[in-house]
Amino acid sequence: MNQKYPKKEKLKKKSEIDLLFAKGKWHSCGNLRIISMNLEQKPQENFELKNQKVGVSVSKKYFKKAVDRNRIKRLLRESYRLNKSIFIPKFGAQSISMLFWVSKEIPRHYSEVEQEFVKLCESKK
């Protein structure tokens, strides 16, 4: 499987994000939350998607320093990039998703974030 995170897989458009928050489903596991919407099952009018798109977000309320927020976002993107093989079957090949780190504490190691991400993917029905 391709382990890249190209520009076409990044969730950036405001219209896509608005659609996701309006009609997406929330899932939580530990310190991670995800809002996801599979467009294979529910095709939207005037909205075509050829592959999945994923975005990441970290609360400014809990992490005042941009350095901390950026580090957590890098770790989230890396865990997605390396674990696409379990993410895509669970959330769909044509889906839009956004990952959130909800803990007030900064993860010490990448392995913590990766374990949370794998648990989140496995717990999704």
Side-chain angles (χ1 to χ4, degrees):
M1 170 154 269
N2 185 2
Q3 290 189 333
K4 294 182 179 180
Y5 186 50
K7 192 173 183 177
K8 65 182 180 181
E9 286 185 17
K10 295 179 182 174
L11 181 64
K12 297 216 178 222
K13 285 186 182 177
K14 182 167 173 26
S15 60
E16 293 172 346
I17 294 171
D18 290 342
L19 176 67
L20 179 62
F21 277 96
K23 298 184 179 181
K25 301 283 185 204
W26 287 93
H27 303 281
S28 296
C29 184
N31 296 326
L32 276 179
R33 283 188 86 189
I34 188 169
I35 184 170
S36 182
M37 185 174 153
N38 192 347
L39 297 173
E40 292 173 336
Q41 297 169 350
K42 304 175 200 171
Q44 299 297 318
E45 298 174 16
N46 301 327
F47 195 84
E48 288 193 27
L49 189 66
K50 293 180 176 54
N51 57 342
Q52 79 277 0
K53 287 193 173 192
V54 177
V56 295
S57 180
V58 178
S59 173
K60 196 173 187 178
K61 179 179 176 182
Y62 299 132
F63 303 101
K64 303 293 184 195
K65 296 179 182 177
V67 172
D68 296 334
R69 289 192 306 274
N70 291 339
R71 172 158 172 75
I72 296 169
K73 288 192 281 187
R74 274 196 314 273
L75 293 174
L76 288 171
R77 283 191 294 265
E78 186 71 1
S79 62
Y80 162 74
R81 184 182 74 81
L82 294 175
N83 295 295
K84 275 191 214 181
S85 59
I86 59 172
F87 182 85
I88 293 172
K90 296 289 182 175
F91 293 97
Q94 292 181 345
S95 64
I96 52 177
S97 305
M98 186 168 262
L99 289 164
F100 299 91
W101 183 257
V102 294
S103 175
K104 295 179 182 179
E105 296 180 17
I106 299 172
R108 293 177 185 253
H109 301 287
Y110 165 72
S111 60
E112 290 179 36
V113 178
E114 186 176 34
Q115 287 172 354
E116 296 281 338
F117 185 79
V118 170
K119 277 197 295 187
L120 178 72
C121 290
E122 290 173 351
S123 69
K124 204 264 185 194
K125 297 174 185 173

